Amino acid sequence: DGGITQSPKYLFRKEGQNVTLSCEQNLNHDAMYWYRQDPGQGLRLIYYSQIVNDFQKGDIAEGYSVSREKKESFPLTVTSAQKNPTAFYLCASSRGWTGELFFGEGSRLTVL
Amino acid sequence: QKEVEQDPGPLSVPEGAIVSLNCTYSNSAFQYFMWYRQYSRKGPELLMYTYSSGNKEDGRFTAQVDKSSKYISLFIRDSQPSDSATYLCAMNSPYDKVIFGPGTSLSVIP
């Protein structure tokens, strides 16, 4: 089945540690995105990538980093510079600049 | 003013009721309008996708777009307990990022 796989589903981190969230898609989509979801705030765009080896900052990129070495993969690193990292993180993909986004199941990060 | 506004609810209705969910927006450049459904602790899934103004129907779901009023709606007929979820409106202009509303939490009571 085609889709987006995010891992891990739940992650706990101590303050000051970096953590990497995995996102893999087999939909052959060019575009991939990372969103952060907090209660009552909707989805906020962290980073996006339209093609391999290229990515752009979204609205809340500070404290995060990404890479796009393969079309299928778009990992997100939450660094220790992110002031409030506890959130639900969602990876998505699309064929292009459309609103038809396909989402993964999400990764819930909790900083202890 | 936020770009996309949506009443967060929660909205609670009895099974079989007609549900109306709404969003307003400020950017007149938006041309693509979407509704996503998100079950608890899951990723959103695309429910309806419309271009420009007008109506689109898919089974029990109808999406309406009124660009002159900058207002979009999602109607759910004969609501079912399985419709209990958070509904996110979303929109974008051509070749630009998607902007999401904060979502409305819906509970359909058997």
Side-chain angles (χ1 to χ4, degrees), chain A:
Chain A
D1 283 337
I4 298 184
T5 302
Q6 286 187 244
S7 62
K9 197 172 176 71
Y10 298 96
L11 187 60
F12 298 89
R13 185 195 95 174
K14 293 182 181 179
E15 280 193 25
Q17 289 180 336
N18 292 355
V19 64
T20 297
L21 307 180
S22 170
C23 179
E24 303 277 332
Q25 56 103 354
N26 60 4
L27 299 167
N28 199 33
H29 286 168
D30 288 313
M32 296 188 74
Y33 312 81
W34 274 104
Y35 287 90
R36 171 180 170 141
Q37 188 174 33
D38 296 284
Q41 293 203 43
L43 275 64
R44 292 184 291 166
L45 184 63
I46 305 173
Y47 268 98
Y48 62 96
S49 168
Q50 293 289 302
I51 56 173
V52 174
N53 293 322
D54 186 52
F55 48 83
Q56 308 295 328
K57 292 183 179 180
D59 301 315
I60 56 165
E62 186 175 349
Y64 300 98
S65 66
V66 294
S67 63
R68 186 87 187 274
E69 297 176 2
K70 298 186 301 181
K71 186 176 184 177
E72 301 79 20
S73 178
F74 192 40
L76 173 74
T77 296
V78 184
T79 75
S80 57
Q82 169 48 234
K83 298 279 190 286
N84 185 20
T86 294
F88 189 49
Y89 291 90
L90 288 158
C91 179
S93 71
S94 68
R95 274 185 285 270
W97 267 129
T98 76
E100 296 181 89
L101 302 176
F102 292 80
F103 284 89
E105 293 273 279
S107 293
R108 186 167 298 278
L109 172 63
T110 302
V111 174
L112 305 173

Side-chain angles (χ1 to χ4, degrees), chain B residues 75-87:
Chain B
F75 297 95
I76 307 174
R77 290 183 298 281
D78 187 25
S79 56
Q80 302 295 309
S82 58
D83 295 327
S84 298
T86 296
Y87 289 81

Side-chain angles (χ1 to χ4, degrees), chain B residues 4-11 20-24 35 86-87 89 101-106:
Chain B
V4 179
E5 308 229 27
Q6 185 176 6
D7 186 340
L11 182 62
S20 172
L21 304 169
N22 310 295
C23 285
T24 58
W35 286 95
T86 296
Y87 289 81
C89 65
T104 299
S105 176
L106 171 68

Side-chain angles (χ1 to χ4, degrees), chain B residues 4-63:
Chain B
V4 179
E5 308 229 27
Q6 185 176 6
D7 186 340
L11 182 62
S12 184
V13 301
E15 183 175 353
I18 296 175
V19 176
S20 172
L21 304 169
N22 310 295
C23 285
T24 58
Y25 63 94
S26 57
N27 188 345
S28 57
F30 289 148
Q31 292 190 27
Y32 301 94
F33 303 91
M34 289 74 66
W35 286 95
Y36 285 83
R37 177 175 61 196
Q38 185 176 23
Y39 292 113
S40 181
R41 290 186 281 275
K42 299 288 187 184
E45 57 179 331
L46 182 65
L47 200 58
M48 299 289 281
Y49 180 88
T50 54
Y51 170 71
S52 196
S53 283
N55 293 359
K56 183 174 183 179
E57 188 173 321
D58 184 0
R60 297 184 295 110
F61 299 90
T62 299

